[in-house]
């Protein structure tokens, strides 16, 4: 085997379980309270951002230093509180600078409770409804509203419309991050027909990733972190 083939062989599969376990050993919650909430969510289970995703976002935010975040897909509010805590630790801002949108009423109520209970209601504004509809309503109600970072983590088959509507409220130097864009690695199994219950999401995400990569408005990269992250930066015209 030539050296180049050896390199390909040893570097090809970087996302196996042993590597993920190794990397998640480095994970540290931002605060003990967030760590406890994570443990409870993982046990329940509630689908919150994975440890390695959080680890990446932590450093990414340290580099990009967003003062405001919009999230589509709150669940119980874990990632919204992570964003609020991170911004507070970096910039000492805690002034309704994290907006989060949840479609499911029960989840929304629970998130409001968890957020208030942990004292993050100073930083976080929660919205009940569909991501796209809430953003359009936000624009109608508030006029000029802009976010430095937008995190899309909701219905996988709606990522394209979430992205299009997010562009309306992204600040000039802002960045959009989409979670789960490798969807348990299923997207890479090109020749295989996904099982029925995953078919819609798999096909929609394949189309979405293709769209993001080929649309000339964006510079983007797909990262094999957690369940797949796509970083999207509109190109300045
Ligand atoms: N970001 C959360 C975290 O890491 O703590 C996890 C979000 S969970 C993966 C996805 C959430 O998106 C679910 O609670 C679901 O109800 C919500 N959702 C689904 N479709 C939505 C939509 N159209 N608009 C807003 N939220 C939606």
């Amino acid at each position: 085997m030539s050296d180049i083939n050896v390199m390909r062989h040893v570097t090809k599969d970087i996302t196996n379980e042993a590597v993920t376990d190794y990397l998640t050993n480095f994970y540290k919650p931002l605060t003990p309270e967030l760590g406890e909430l994570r443990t409870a969510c993982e046990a329940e289970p509630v689908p919150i951002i994975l440890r390695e995703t959080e680890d990446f976002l932590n450093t990414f935010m340290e580099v990009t230093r967003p003062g405001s975040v919009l999230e589509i897909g709150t669940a119980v509010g874990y990632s919204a509180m992570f964003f609020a805590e991170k911004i507070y630790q970096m910039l000492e801002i805690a002034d309704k600078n994290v907006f989060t949108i949840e479609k499911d009423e029960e989840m929304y109520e629970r998130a409001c409770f968890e957020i208030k209970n942990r004292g993050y209601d100073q930083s976080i504004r929660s919205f009940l409804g569909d991501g796209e509809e809430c953003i359009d309503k936000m624009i109608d109600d508030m006029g000029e509203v802009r976010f430095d970072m937008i995190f899309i983590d909701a219905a996988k088959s709606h990522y394209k419309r979430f992205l299009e509507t997010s562009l309306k409220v992204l600040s000039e130097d802002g960045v959009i991050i989409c979670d789960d864009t490798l969807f348990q690695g299923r997207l890479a199994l090109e020749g295989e027909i996904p099982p029925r219950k995953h078919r819609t999401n798999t096909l929609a995400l394949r189309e979405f990733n293709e769209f993001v990569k080929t649309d000339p408005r964006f510079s983007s990269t797909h990262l094999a972190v957690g369940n797949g992250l796509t970083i999207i930066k509109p190109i300045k015209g």
Side-chain angles (χ1 to χ4, degrees):
M1 212 185 269
S2 72
D3 283 351
I4 182 90
N5 282 337
V6 171
M7 272 303 287
R8 275 211 195 100
H9 175 69
V10 296
T11 58
K12 200 172 169 211
D13 185 10
I14 59 160
T15 55
N16 65 48
E17 266 178 49
V19 175
T20 303
D21 287 349
Y22 171 75
L23 291 176
T24 49
N25 278 333
F26 295 117
Y27 169 80
K28 251 202 189 143
L30 278 187
T31 67
E33 292 72 28
L34 284 177
E36 279 163 26
L37 179 60
R38 166 175 287 289
T39 306
C41 287
E42 287 171 350
E44 199 173 327
V46 177
I48 62 169
I49 47 169
L50 293 171
R51 290 171 184 233
E52 57 272 37
T53 305
E54 180 180 327
D55 192 54
F56 170 81
L57 290 172
N58 190 12
T59 304
F60 183 81
M61 289 176 75
E62 197 66 53
V63 173
T64 55
R65 303 186 86 71
S68 54
V69 174
L70 168 66
E71 171 180 71
I72 305 178
T74 316
V76 298
Y78 178 82
S79 51
M81 288 186 262
F82 163 77
F83 294 136
E85 180 63 36
K86 182 69 193 168
I87 294 174
Y88 184 69
Q89 288 185 10
M90 282 189 310
L91 308 169
E92 290 191 15
I93 306 173
D95 185 21
K96 301 286 184 207
N97 51 318
V98 175
F99 282 28
T100 184
I101 305 170
E102 172 57 51
K103 191 177 179 184
D104 181 273
E105 195 166 351
E106 227 170 275
M107 274 291 187
Y108 165 80
E109 297 293 351
R110 187 167 159 196
C112 291
F113 171 79
E114 301 283 2
I115 288 167
K116 194 165 191 325
N117 200 26
R118 288 175 176 77
Y120 286 101
D121 50 328
Q122 285 265 49
S123 304
I124 301 174
R125 236 182 117 165
S126 299
F127 295 81
L128 172 64
D130 166 70
E132 180 184 7
E133 289 168 14
C134 281
I135 292 173
D136 284 336
K137 189 163 183 319
M138 232 177 252
I139 297 168
D140 286 346
D141 293 350
M142 302 168 71
E144 180 74 10
V145 54
R146 298 275 163 190
F147 301 91
D148 299 334
M149 186 174 125
I150 298 181
F151 186 61
I152 299 177
D153 186 18
K156 312 304 161 210
S157 51
H158 295 292
Y159 271 25
K160 193 171 168 197
R161 68 184 181 91
F162 291 154
L163 171 60
E164 291 290 0
T165 198
S166 293
L167 293 171
K168 299 180 206 166
V169 290
L170 186 68
S171 61
E172 210 191 322
D173 292 315
V175 63
I176 297 175
I177 303 183
C178 305
D179 197 13
D180 300 324
T181 50
L182 288 174
F183 195 45
Q184 300 154 1
R186 288 174 197 286
L187 302 201
L189 304 173
E190 196 63 67
E192 288 186 27
I193 299 170
R196 186 181 290 272
K197 72 174 188 168
H198 296 304
R199 203 165 296 166
T200 309
N201 284 345
T202 307
L203 298 179
L205 282 171
R206 254 187 212 146
E207 202 180 308
F208 175 73
N209 286 345
E210 189 71 26
F211 158 73
V212 167
K213 267 292 169 206
T214 51
D215 192 304
R217 288 175 297 168
F218 310 124
S219 172
S220 68
T221 192
H222 302 307
L223 300 178
V225 173
N227 210 3
L229 281 177
T230 301
I231 318 279
I232 304 168
K233 185 97 180 102
I235 294 171
K236 287 184 187 173

